[in-house]
Amino acid sequence: ADEAALEGEGAAGGVVHAFEPNNDQRGMLMKNAELNGLTNIKPRSEGLWHDSSTNLKLVGFDSFASAEVAEAGDDTFRTVTIADYLKAAGVDVLDLIVLDIEGAELGALKGAEPFLAQPKGQAPDILFEVHRHYVDWSNGLANTDIVRLLTGHGYTVFALRDFNSNYDLAGKPIELIPMDDIYLEGPPHGFNMVAVKDTAVFDGPGYSIVKGVSP
């Protein structure tokens, strides 16, 4: 599904605030949570955005649907910023942001800037998708709006290498590609990235830095 998740209220025993405007997908999310005995997920029907005053609608099929601004109606949903939502929820500690929302990632992160501006050790780690259909990286990923937003707040950004089940990763480290060493040629495609302020979290055998490869 096109989902965004926030993990706040402390790392140990934290709460996941899961945003999914698609009613069917949100229902599936909660059914999966029930089947797995997860009780710390709070489902939300809003769409994360750079403001809390816009109506959006989903355009496209199911998990590939993207959001567009629209007049209020039965098939639309309201937006909320991460900062506004967490303030209303009484949450002041945000540990992790996970975004896979078909091009709306930049707007969602703009709505989280008070948290992004926090210092190392307090600012959230971020996982997000970029796709050539939504992000113009012809001048390099470092010059895209979403990466400039993050690096401007002191984040270091890596691409996550995904083998799409073509390679047995059991017991293998997670491969991270530094920003300036990502191979981007090929047909339009997307991949996940990770942004952190403390790169020491990737020290150790669980991670490996690789260069000059495609995510």
Side-chain angles (χ1 to χ4, degrees), residues 43-148:
R44 303 295 307 186
S45 60
E46 302 98 327
L48 294 181
W49 202 244
H50 56 79
D51 64 47
S52 299
S53 58
T54 300
N55 288 296
L56 301 177
K57 66 177 180 179
L58 293 175
V59 178
F61 177 72
D62 201 27
S63 63
F64 296 104
S66 59
E68 291 184 359
V69 176
E71 295 293 329
D74 293 340
D75 62 343
T76 65
F77 52 91
R78 295 286 288 179
T79 62
V80 68
T81 69
I82 290 174
D84 286 348
Y85 170 79
L86 293 180
K87 181 178 180 180
V91 177
D92 56 10
V93 176
L94 177 59
D95 302 295
L96 178 67
I97 301 174
V98 180
L99 300 171
D100 184 356
I101 45 180
E102 305 304 314
E105 289 84 359
L106 175 60
L109 289 174
K110 285 183 175 179
E113 286 203 73
F115 289 94
L116 306 189
Q118 291 178 335
K120 181 172 68 174
Q122 298 179 35
D125 297 328
I126 304 167
L127 287 165
F128 64 101
E129 184 191 41
V130 295
H131 195 288
R132 187 66 178 82
H133 184 70
Y134 304 108
V135 178
D136 180 5
W137 61 57
S138 57
N139 292 319
L141 273 174
N143 292 315
T144 61
D145 290 340
I146 192 166
V147 172
R148 287 168 63 92

Side-chain angles (χ1 to χ4, degrees), residues 21-33:
N22 183 301
N23 292 332
D24 292 339
Q25 293 286 348
R26 191 169 62 257
M28 188 182 304
L29 166 70
M30 295 315 297
K31 181 63 175 178
N32 286 335

